[in-house]
Amino acid sequence: MSELTHVNAAGEAHMVDVGHKDPGRRVATAAGRLDTTAEVVEKLRGNGLAKGDALATARVAGIMAAKRTWELVPLCHPIALSKITVEFELGEESVAVRAQVANNDRTGVEMEALTAVTVAALTLVDMVKAVDPAAEINGVGVVEKVGGKTGLWQRN
């Protein structure tokens, strides 16, 4: 197992110095799932929620969140993002949420992809809670990253 990079020799949290790294293309994809009811999914399909187009709202929320990850996660670097996509796939009683984030920088974008998925799903919870107060977010994780010193990594 690799050592933790955000902890110094004294065990204190610190921001990693990436200034010595060469900029390069880095892409991360994260996914998660909103578990809900068939009624909610049907309302999402037909834009039938009282609050409006939940999927469009959640997409924009995820994109905005990715851009602000460095403000939310204390040790993340502020980086210029070159691409953010947030997509949804409606199941019978769930909504799959997938985000892909890319940059040309010195550090990866896994946290930005995770933030996009999580905030998009959280926005869906907010939009559907009147119909399903038990809706929950599950299975959030990085599914693939490309670039950096590890090259290609994919979840099994």
Side-chain angles (χ1 to χ4, degrees):
M1 181 179 280
S2 299
E3 64 182 69
L4 298 174
T5 59
H6 287 78
V7 179
N8 66 16
E12 303 162 335
H14 75 285
M15 182 183 267
V16 174
D17 181 2
V18 296
H20 63 281
K21 293 183 176 181
D22 291 328
R25 181 78 170 163
R26 297 157 193 268
V27 181
T29 304
R33 186 182 67 256
L34 175 74
D35 290 324
T36 186
T37 65
E39 178 186 5
V40 165
V41 173
E42 199 53 41
K43 288 184 180 295
L44 289 170
R45 285 187 206 286
N47 195 18
L49 292 168
K51 289 189 173 186
D53 187 344
L55 297 176
T57 303
R59 180 176 289 110
V60 172
I63 291 168
M64 290 175 62
K67 296 190 314 184
R68 300 191 73 162
T69 299
W70 68 276
E71 293 178 301
L72 301 169
V73 182
L75 302 178
C76 283
H77 295 83
I79 54 177
L81 304 177
S82 58
K83 174 187 175 185
I84 307 167
T85 61
V86 178
E87 299 172 337
F88 306 99
E89 184 177 330
L90 302 177
E92 290 183 29
E93 295 183 339
S94 65
V95 180
V97 183
R98 189 174 189 89
Q100 187 175 76
V101 179
N103 75 349
N104 292 296
D105 212 324
R106 292 174 164 85
T107 189
V109 288
E110 298 91 351
M111 296 308 299
E112 288 76 7
L114 288 165
T115 301
V117 166
T118 305
V119 172
L122 184 61
T123 301
L124 288 176
V125 169
D126 180 50
M127 306 249 341
V128 308
K129 68 185 179 205
V131 179
D132 179 13
E136 63 182 34
I137 300 165
N138 290 297
V140 175
V142 175
V143 295
E144 181 179 273
K145 71 178 228 66
V146 179
K149 69 179 180 182
T150 57
L152 173 64
W153 176 88
Q154 295 177 313
R155 181 174 297 283
N156 294 336

